[in-house]
Amino acid sequence: MPRLTLFKKILVITLLLSLLPLIASSLILFFNLESTSARLTSEIGGTADIQASESLQMRASQVAENMADFLRQCESDLVFLSRSQLDQATLLNFYASRRGEIWYRTGSASAPLEIHEHVPLYHSIALIDKNGLEKLVIKEGEVVPADELKNVSNPDRTEFLTEDYFTRVRTQPGKIYVSHLTGFHISKQDQLNGADEPEHAFDGKSYQGVIRFAAALFDARGSFNGVVVVSLDHRHLMEFTQHIDPGHNFSTVFPSYKSGNYAFMFDDEGWIITHPKYWDIRGLDARGRLIPPYSASSAKADIDNGRIPFNLDHAGFIHPNYPRVADQVRKQTAGFVDTTNVGGARKIMAYAPIIYGSGDYSRHGVFGGITIGFQLDQFQDAARKGSRLINQQLGEHRTRSGVILLITSLLAGFSAWGLSRGITRPLLQLTESARKLASGDFHSRVAVTAADEIGVLGRTFNFMADELENRKNSLLATLDELQRSRIDILDERNFKTSVLESISSAIITISPAGVLTSINGVGQKYLSNAVSPDREYHELFAAWPDVSARIDTVLRTKDGYGRVPLSRQIDGEMTYYDFGLFPIGTNADMGLTITLRNETERERLREETMRLDRLASLGKLSAGIAHEVRNPLTGISLLLDDLHDKPGFSAEDKEMLSKALSEIERVERLISALLNYSTPVRTAFREGDLTQLVKDILLLMRRQAEKQGVVLDVSYATLPRFRFDPEKIRQALINILKNALEVLESGGVITIATECHDTTVTVAIRDNGPGIPQQDLPLIFEPFFTRKGAGTGLGLSITQRIIEEHHGALTVDSEEATGTTFRIVLPLDNRPDKVSNAT
């Protein structure tokens, strides 16, 4: 055996003291790094899961709050209607003004199209009397015909065959009634129509259901007088969940059910009411009976046919967390759980209650819940990326450590101890900071002093923690801002809509460039099809040249604001408006406000009042003149008559006296006509036969007609007996017939025809004379207007007054060289109470 020298012993001992600790410490360091890497990967994954789950929960809560606000808005609409004057115009205007946007697919799977459309919020609006009979129903924008109205006090006569909303409201008249979702069930085959998945089904049926909001109506004594019902269209419920994509896209027109990344809504009874699979939504069979929920005992035929609506309370056999979610929502609690859907996708499901306690939802104080699901494996993306980064850094570290181990094998134990301490201390700090970060302390950071791989790992960890904190703060700030903005927008929208739609004038605003920016319902009615966004005022008022010209002047000169009267010819009739222009901002730098108010009725009342005042004054004047003239005229007549009878006058003198007496008699007849016009005889209504009256008049007029060569062409309709004043109607007909005979001096044809309608009878008298000049037509009913030398001009004025006393109408149509037609329209219903009020 060779003898060991001291040098060798020292060399061996030095090598052992330097290499063994170095190797041992290196091995321990490698094992610690592997363990730390595994812990970091696990903690990062757990932190990412919690962050994502809380984000889903906040989003579900936001959607639930929006849904609750929407339901309260619908309830406010119902209260508004119940306190309004309910007539057809009001309901049609209300139906048209309540709209919401829906986003849906059309086209085909190979060429899909996306449509955004504003549709009415309500499927229908119904006004029901106290016995349950529908009085007025607005459906799909149209008034339902009277023969299609039903008595909904019988559930069998309701739209879905078993609804009892009328009975429920009548028995609890002081409360708002809100139903659960009601609609006929859509089977799997109905929706898919041959497609393999719901997202590929373009030609299948859609679910059509309603949630009914109903309130009692009361008469002036506070007694129950009926029910008003608004039926919320199910499509607007679908809009709250249908487009949620919790993945990278954030929103979608139709979600993928197979992926598990979708949202749905369920009610307080656990029934699903919105879902990508329509056959999961609660529904009724053809007889109006609720289809049982999908359960462990469901028949295979029902499962294959898709007759399996989903109820979370009965879905424990799929995953036990479904009933728990329904129970937590009924306790008004939000959260998240792990679940597996019917398709087998494992996912995190966040849920939040929809706080709403009206109608059938007062039991738990919730309408139901919103759930948003996201696949579990997608939650781990961040953890896997962090793990790969850590493993990459550890691999590089091991390579460098091996090189360092070869180079530093001759170093002493102090270098090994220093290297071990320099490596393990930052890792322990990193582990401690990761543990704090996992517990929710987002302010914890690693102090990085080195520039090596451990320093890079520490800086990477700090960067990841900064990103997580920034994203959390940004998300919370965004949610707060969205909440404030939503409240402000809702308040402003409701206020403006309520004010503008309650005004009877058209309110239109345009930008400084003359482009339409807003218009209320009255304005849309005035401008009809000309209304569309971003149209210029020249196009809007193409049929209103005066309006367009004045707007142009005001926009150019920044002057001429205020109101002016405006008239317009519409369908042959003159319509009057009050037209105004007002600046928005200083010198209209923000645009113009245009107002239009229909003043036609007021103008007609003013003209009618003036006409009646003139007639009243004329009557008083005529009566006074006639009274003052008649007495001396009688004396003159008697004196002239005595002179005529005395002898001593020549034949020529007597002829002159006879002519004077004739003229005095004509003045007497004119005075009598004036007195009759100013103090007419009270109308004496009694039941009579108008046909016989016409025959009697024609018998009197026939001889005069034959003398003039005038043919009387008569056609009689079968007329019922009704109440009228025979003497005054005789006078009116004779006045018109005499006028016709006077214009037919050389012969002609007078056509007399009677007609009977539902509530009126008509007598038409037409001649083929020279006609009335167009400029005279507005004047022919004025007192004393005549184109005849010997007439009084009172005939047609008296005739018009007689017809007005009968609550009828007298019209005239005339064309020069063709003839004239007078039409007398008399009502069949001249009841004694109605006549006494008129007279």
Side-chain angles (χ1 to χ4, degrees), residues 757-771:
H757 305 283
D758 292 338
T759 59
T760 62
V761 296
T762 301
V763 180
I765 302 173
R766 173 177 174 79
D767 65 70
N768 61 347

Side-chain angles (χ1 to χ4, degrees), residues 416-566:
W417 174 84
L419 179 63
S420 176
R421 180 177 174 83
I423 295 175
T424 57
R425 187 175 181 180
L427 291 177
L428 291 175
Q429 292 177 354
L430 188 64
T431 303
E432 181 63 23
S433 296
R435 185 179 296 109
K436 291 180 179 179
L437 185 64
S439 64
D441 183 5
F442 290 91
H443 301 289
S444 178
R445 298 292 184 273
V446 176
V448 179
T449 59
D452 58 7
E453 292 80 3
I454 299 300
V456 172
L457 182 62
R459 283 191 292 273
T460 302
F461 177 84
N462 289 340
F463 176 78
M464 181 186 67
D466 290 338
E467 284 296 311
L468 287 175
E469 184 175 11
N470 290 337
R471 292 185 181 185
K472 176 187 175 184
N473 293 336
S474 176
L475 183 60
L476 291 175
T478 301
L479 289 176
D480 290 341
E481 184 64 26
L482 286 174
Q483 177 69 11
R484 290 192 296 270
S485 298
R486 182 184 64 81
I487 294 174
D488 293 342
I489 290 171
L490 285 176
D491 291 343
E492 183 177 357
R493 183 197 66 184
N494 293 339
F495 175 77
K496 288 182 177 179
T497 301
S498 177
V499 171
L500 290 178
E501 294 303 327
S502 64
I503 295 175
S504 61
S505 300
I507 306 295
I508 305 162
T509 61
I510 61 175
S511 69
V515 177
L516 175 67
T517 56
S518 70
I519 184 169
N520 67 350
V522 178
Q524 292 176 344
K525 178 181 177 182
Y526 285 173
L527 300 181
S528 69
N529 296 332
V531 177
S532 64
D534 301 327
R535 295 195 67 176
E536 293 189 352
Y537 70 90
H538 292 292
E539 300 176 70
L540 291 174
F541 296 102
W544 305 65
D546 295 343
V547 173
S548 182
R550 182 145 187 255
I551 294 173
D552 184 67
T553 301
V554 170
L555 287 176
R556 283 189 294 100
T557 63
K558 305 298 182 182
D559 192 16
Y561 305 116
R563 301 180 183 275
V564 294
L566 175 70

Side-chain angles (χ1 to χ4, degrees), residues 267-270 313 323 325-333 353 364-366:
D267 64 19
D268 65 332
E269 297 178 348
D313 290 327
V325 168
D327 185 59
Q328 289 297 310
V329 165
R330 283 191 282 266
K331 293 178 181 178
Q332 302 187 9
T333 302
H364 302 289
V366 296

